[in-house]
Amino acid sequence: MFLLDQNEFFIDPARCIGCQACVQACSECDTHKGHAMIHLEYVDRGQSTQTVPVVCMHCESPTCAEVCPADAIKKTEDGVVQSARKPRCVACNNCVLACPFGVPKMITDFELMMKCDLCYDRTSAGKKPMCATVCPSGALFYGPRPEIDQLRPRSKPMNQFQFGRQTITTKVHMMAPTGPVKAQYLDVTEVMNENGPRQRIALDILSNLYASEDGV
Amino acid sequence: MSKEKLKANIWAFVVTAILARLITLGSGNLDRFDAALVPYTFATLFAVFGITRRYALWLHRPPTAMYWTRGWKVFLLLLHPRHVGSNAILFLRRLIAHYAFNDFIWRRGRMRWLAHWCIMWGCVIAVAITIPLVCGWIDFRSEADNLEWYRVLVFGYPTVAFPIRSLVGFLTFHGLVWSSFLVIFGVLLALRRRLSDHGAAALQQFGEDLLPLFLLFAISVTGLMLTASYTWMKGYGYDFLAILHAITVIFTLLWLPFGKFFHIFQRSATVGVAFYQDVGKQGEQAKCRRCGNEFASRMHVEDLITVEKQLGYRYEMPDSPVEHYQWICPRCRRALLGLAQGVLWNESQAQG
């Protein structure tokens, strides 16, 4: 049995299969009932099937909170950046535009910013966040460090991200390869001109299949 | 003391001094001032000092200062003779929908709305009655020729008169009773949600979320007990209840600049933000420098870049045509995260 504060969140987009289970489970969370806060993003829909699940990274110095004119976004003592406090949020969209990870969502009807809060009702009680509970491929993992080290010997957790000249340190970790690559941080802006891996899906894949069968 | 704090203190002192002067003016140099209300008056003055100080410090934060400056510029644009009529109607419509009806809370949840609406209107009615009394701006005097009639003096000037024993008199003199009923009902609804909702229970804090409800409940109940004491119990325990009621009110007044109560003053920004967004939509739009899609107003993005620089963030990308990470739309930011990790794995595999 691990202590609560030994549990950490690890995301590994390379393992994501785009099944949407996390999106469905996220909307079950009691702190944002009916609204999925996780983003399941296609990296390049036209070129690739690659998907990336994006949860709040819970930055040490959260840009969303700093740019909030109403001082509505607070961080708990255990480092979880919360959704905007309902009485204070003025729906200005600053946080949505400023977050380097593109996480906060503006719920226009409610005039309220909502975001992933690490399922605080669950994690503060020692449970896993909804998304990590249902993820079948381990792209979203919540647990103690020794466990992930044991499960993923070829990966190492990384929690520093580079955006231009700005380095952001986060509470949530991303899995990076061990071995030859010695990057201390993930340079997000360096891949600005990259596209998704070329895995173009041939639309005539079935006809090709049948053609080969006919040939046999 | 920092420059900002000094400025905030000066603002707070000036506003408090203006209120103090208004009290002496409105009460005819304290001639019409009710001495029994002195503790409330001083608590009000302290509250005004605290609220103004916190408001001034809040306005000094870079993102708030940006909206404050932009808000006034947008306001001047709205006053353009060609649009002033339609803008005034829109302003009034938003004011009524937002403040009087709390339409946005209605959409968040019906019970939440009912609780907030009752608490809000209860407090508004109570403040509208008590502040003019506490400051000596309003006074009730018997008519010289008919002691059964009261005349209302506002800032010493005689206004309407009404019979004491009438429906108008009954409703007026029990205004605080009606507001107490509204507040108690709203507080009970809010507490019910806070005690039964798992999400709310996980996120709520005592000072921020529960204490304000307890304070409002305490004020309302002790106020009602005062009425019950002098109406049906021949003033039994009145002195004790009066002190207890004063303690709850004074503590609440002093707590106004802190915690949840301060949102009463902060939310005025929503109207300015709405007009800022209107003006932004009509102007040039920012296009994502990766995907080319419009994602916000150019004014908003440029303002954010300024604010981020003021806050010490360095999202500049000097060696790239993108120039600043703020020019990338949120969707592309999420995609880039996956791409960046993928590139690391590709490099790892390539290097063996």
Side-chain angles (χ1 to χ4, degrees):
Chain A
M1 185 73 184
F2 292 98
L3 293 174
L4 284 183
D5 58 359
Q6 284 184 326
N7 288 329
E8 293 174 271
F9 204 127
F10 304 91
I11 60 169
D12 193 349
R15 298 175 76 99
C16 180
I17 56 171
C19 68
Q20 301 266 355
C22 55
V23 178
Q24 297 304 320
C26 183
S27 61
E28 299 280 327
C29 177
D30 267 344
T31 56
H32 46 81
K33 295 177 200 73
H35 297 271
M37 291 295 116
I38 192 168
H39 297 266
L40 187 67
E41 204 66 66
Y42 284 95
V43 169
D44 187 354
R45 192 70 175 105
Q47 301 288 331
S48 159
T49 54
Q50 187 185 359
T51 48
V52 50
V54 182
V55 296
C56 178
M57 301 300 285
H58 300 284
C59 307
E60 272 184 10
S61 169
T63 313
C64 60
E66 294 277 346
V67 301
C68 175
D71 202 12
I73 304 170
K74 298 289 180 192
K75 202 164 93 166
T76 60
E77 281 176 14
D78 47 354
V80 175
V81 183
Q82 299 286 357
S83 279
R85 291 198 68 87
K86 291 179 183 72
R88 291 194 188 181
C89 181
V90 292
C92 69
N93 231 28
N94 267 12
C95 51
V96 175
L97 294 177
C99 170
F101 299 99
V103 166
K105 290 185 178 183
M106 181 54 62
I107 312 294
T108 316
D109 256 7
F110 295 178
E111 294 187 25
L112 180 69
M113 179 282 269
M114 290 168 79
K115 60 179 269 302
C116 156
D117 59 1
L118 210 67
C119 288
Y120 202 65
D121 59 320
R122 296 175 59 81
T123 50
S124 62
K127 294 178 183 170
K128 290 182 179 185
M130 293 299 282
C131 57
T133 307
V134 299
C135 181
S137 64
L140 301 158
F141 180 88
Y142 186 79
R145 180 74 65 109
E147 195 177 330
I148 191 100
D149 287 343
Q150 193 183 4
L151 284 169
R152 317 262 171 93
R154 291 177 57 227
S155 305
K156 62 175 178 185
M158 185 182 270
N159 71 336
Q160 287 200 315
F161 302 84
Q162 192 71 23
F163 303 93
R165 289 179 169 171
Q166 182 66 43
T167 308
I168 295 287
T169 307
T170 62
K171 181 180 171 70
V172 173
H173 291 75
M174 180 172 277
M175 301 309 288
T178 51
V181 179
K182 296 288 181 195
Q184 294 302 306
Y185 54 77
L186 192 67
D187 195 336
V188 179
T189 42
E190 201 177 48
V191 295
M192 193 65 70
N193 298 319
E194 296 273 344
N195 289 313
R198 291 288 184 269
Q199 297 170 351
R200 182 180 284 277
I201 305 164
L203 294 175
D204 57 350
I205 187 168
L206 290 177
S207 57
N208 288 343
L209 185 71
Y210 290 126
S212 64
E213 280 179 357
D214 291 344
V216 173
Chain B
M1 188 186 293
S2 69
K3 198 177 161 188
E4 298 82 45
K5 282 185 179 168
L6 182 67
K7 265 186 177 177
N9 285 342
I10 292 170
W11 270 110
F13 181 77
V14 168
V15 173
T16 311
I18 290 170
L19 178 64
R21 182 68 189 122
L22 282 173
I23 289 172
T24 55
L25 271 177
S27 60
N29 280 330
L30 306 182
D31 183 40
R32 291 180 297 277
F33 189 81
D34 187 348
L37 300 177
V38 165
Y40 295 103
T41 311
F42 275 98
T44 306
L45 287 167
F46 277 117
V48 167
F49 184 91
I51 291 162
T52 314
R53 185 178 184 278
R54 173 133 192 235
Y55 205 86
L57 284 172
W58 175 56
L59 286 185
H60 186 77
R61 295 179 68 243
T64 324
M66 175 61 81
Y67 267 110
W68 177 254
T69 319
R70 281 286 188 200
W72 284 110
K73 283 181 184 166
V74 165
F75 181 71
L76 291 176
L77 285 176
L78 299 177
L79 293 178
H80 190 281
R82 274 182 63 190
H83 308 295
V84 70
S86 56
N87 284 334
I89 291 168
L90 186 62
F91 178 74
L92 275 176
R93 212 175 65 192
R94 279 180 178 160
L95 215 61
I96 291 167
H98 195 92
Y99 292 102
F101 292 107
N102 302 152
D103 60 340
F104 61 106
I105 305 180
W106 172 266
R107 293 192 291 267
R108 289 178 191 174
R110 303 296 187 260
M111 290 305 276
R112 183 192 284 271
W113 172 83
L114 185 61
H116 187 271
W117 197 82
C118 289
I119 294 173
M120 183 195 76
W121 276 108
C123 290
V124 167
I125 293 168
V127 166
I129 293 169
T130 50
I131 294 294
L133 286 171
V134 162
C135 294
W137 296 336
I138 197 163
D139 194 24
F140 296 91
R141 290 281 164 94
S142 300
E143 292 283 73
D145 54 348
N146 187 352
L147 295 177
E148 287 296 305
W149 278 63
Y150 266 159
R151 185 164 292 281
V152 184
L153 303 182
V154 179
F155 272 71
Y157 295 101
T159 59
V160 292
F162 57 86
I164 296 168
R165 295 175 205 285
S166 66
L167 183 65
V168 176
F170 180 77
L171 290 175
T172 307
F173 292 125
H174 291 83
L176 290 176
V177 172
W178 319 133
S179 66
S180 292
F181 285 146
L182 275 175
V183 170
I184 289 171
F185 181 64
V187 166
L188 290 178
L189 281 181
L191 277 175
R192 179 177 168 270
R193 193 181 72 81
R194 294 214 162 270
L195 292 174
S196 60
D197 185 303
H198 284 136
L203 300 172
Q204 69 197 7
Q205 296 160 0
F206 180 77
E208 180 79 13
D209 300 304
L210 295 173
L211 185 62
L213 292 175
F214 293 153
L215 286 173
L216 292 176
F217 187 78
I219 291 175
S220 305
V221 169
T222 53
L224 285 178
M225 286 163 86
L226 279 172
T227 307
S229 168
Y230 71 69
T231 309
W232 298 304
M233 302 168 76
K234 298 177 182 173
Y236 178 77
Y238 190 89
D239 291 343
F240 170 73
L241 288 173
I243 292 169
L244 194 62
H245 183 66
I247 289 169
T248 60
V249 174
I250 290 166
F251 187 81
T252 306
L253 283 170
L254 298 179
W255 189 248
L256 277 179
F258 313 101
K260 196 168 208 163
F261 286 134
F262 193 66
H263 85 276
I264 300 163
F265 311 99
Q266 277 184 315
R267 286 212 70 90
S268 56
T270 46
V271 176
V273 164
F275 280 108
Y276 176 84
Q277 287 169 346
D278 286 348
V279 170
K281 276 178 198 159
Q282 288 162 19
E284 191 186 343
Q285 299 302 295
K287 284 185 179 170
C288 173
R289 293 188 180 172
R290 182 170 176 270
C291 68
N293 291 330
E294 292 179 351
F295 67 100
S297 76
R298 189 182 175 91
M299 173 175 75
H300 199 169
V301 171
E302 286 174 346
D303 285 349
L304 263 178
I305 290 174
T306 308
V307 167
E308 283 170 2
K309 280 180 185 166
Q310 288 169 343
L311 290 167
Y313 285 105
R314 301 176 303 151
Y315 286 111
E316 295 85 3
M317 299 167 64
D319 303 325
S320 160
V322 175
E323 293 177 25
H324 196 283
Y325 196 58
Q326 200 57 62
W327 292 110
I328 301 299
C329 72
R331 205 207 74 83
C332 279
R333 292 179 198 184
R334 296 191 288 271
L336 284 171
L337 201 61
L339 273 175
Q341 193 228 20
V343 166
L344 273 191
W345 278 103
N346 287 344
E347 284 174 8
S348 167
Q349 283 165 357
Q351 290 173 29

